[in-house]
Every structure is written in C-alpha cells, then in structure tokens.
C-alpha cells in the first residue's frame, strides 16, 4: 500500500468497502499448511461465511488490516458436535462482502452459546437446527 492507509477504505475483490463486522464469503485461500486440525478447518471456510474482526493488538495501523493488507476473519464451522471457532487472515482478493442475514447475526453472536448445547453434546435445539438449515455442516473430519 502507498500513502496513508488510514485515509483509504479497504475493499474486497469486488471493490466493496470492508469494515470490522462485515460478513464475507471466502472464495479462496493461499496454499499454506498450518498443521491439523487448524489447516483443515481453515480450508473448509472456502465458499462459506466469515466475519471480519479486528486484527490482533499492535498488528495494524488502520484498525482493520495488517501490514500485508490482509484482514482477520472469524470462522464458525458447524459440525454435529456443535459450533467451533477459529480466526485467520485472508487477502482482499480472497473475500467478497455479503449482506447479513438473521442466521449470520445469530451464528456470530456472542450470546449464541445460550441458545445451543455445549460443544460435544447432542445438538437438538431449534436454534442449531436453523443454523444447519442455513449453512450446512462444514467439511471437517474427526481427528
């Protein structure tokens, strides 16, 4: 990046403005190997919805991107055992901003844990069933 990055609004691959809290569809990821099970979960995010979150403290000058221009995303993969959560970095060319839905707001809510069972227990709540209907299970294998 050139110039003062705090004056330029970051964008996705389509040129749509990206902000902390934006929902994005991951279209691709760099070919990296960060080890199981993290890499398996990261790769399962392709084609799925993530939420832009603030970069780790001290890693950004504009509050949304790190020096390489990448955004930190939170990904909440669904499995029969419940909802997991990881965060990782994606390039602007790897994401597309999407309009939020009620299910996205629910899945990425800090209070979701009050509406589903603890991870590893039988997930038979109406909320979990609604999330699975909207997003499907992520392609994660049991390790």
């Amino acid at each position: 990046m050139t110039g003062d990055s705090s004056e330029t609004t970051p964008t996705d691959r389509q040129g749509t403005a990206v902000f902390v809290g934006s929902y994005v569809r991951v279209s691709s990821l760099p070919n990296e190997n960060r080890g199981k099970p993290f890499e398996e979960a990261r790769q399962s995010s392709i084609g799925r919805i993530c939420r832009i979150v603030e970069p780790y403290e001290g890693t950004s000058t504009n509050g949304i991107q790190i020096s390489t221009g990448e955004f930190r995303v939170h990904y909440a993969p669904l499995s029969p055992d419940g909802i997991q959560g990881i965060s990782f970095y994606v390039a602007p060319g790897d994401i597309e901003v999407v309009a939020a839905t009620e299910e996205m707001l629910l899945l990425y809510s800090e209070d979701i844990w009050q509406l589903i069972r603890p991870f590893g227990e039988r997930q038979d709540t109406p909320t979990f069933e609604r999330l699975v209907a909207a997003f499907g299970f992520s392609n994660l294998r049991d390790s």
Side-chain angles (χ1 to χ4, degrees):
M1 286 177 112
T2 59
D4 185 358
S5 62
S6 65
E7 294 179 15
T8 305
T9 302
T11 60
D12 68 0
R13 65 190 192 114
Q14 302 291 328
T16 304
V18 177
F19 302 96
V20 170
S22 294
Y23 292 93
V24 297
R25 182 176 311 280
V26 175
S27 58
S28 62
L29 291 170
N31 213 2
E32 298 177 5
N33 185 355
R34 300 184 180 196
K36 281 189 171 183
F38 183 83
E39 184 61 19
E40 189 173 87
R42 191 179 78 91
Q43 289 295 326
S44 77
S45 72
I46 296 173
R48 298 203 175 261
I49 303 298
C50 295
R51 186 169 188 258
I52 300 290
V53 295
E54 291 182 2
Y56 292 111
E57 188 173 333
T59 62
S60 175
T61 58
N62 67 0
I64 189 167
Q65 293 172 292
I66 59 175
S67 61
T68 60
E70 294 176 307
F71 301 101
R72 182 171 161 233
V73 295
H74 176 70
Y75 173 48
L78 298 173
S79 75
D81 289 327
I83 301 172
Q84 298 178 51
I86 64 168
S87 68
F88 52 90
Y89 287 91
V90 294
D94 293 333
I95 58 170
E96 183 176 332
V97 173
V98 297
T101 65
E102 288 182 29
E103 288 81 9
M104 288 178 206
L105 296 171
L106 185 60
L107 179 60
Y108 287 98
S109 165
E110 290 183 21
D111 296 323
I112 186 63
W113 310 109
Q114 296 180 40
L115 300 171
I116 64 170
R117 304 225 187 283
F119 189 82
E121 290 186 12
R122 183 169 180 217
Q123 299 296 324
D124 58 357
T125 65
T127 299
F128 191 78
E129 291 172 8
R130 179 178 175 187
L131 294 173
V132 171
F135 301 111
F137 288 125
S138 297
N139 297 324
L140 296 175
R141 286 170 266 186
D142 292 332
S143 298

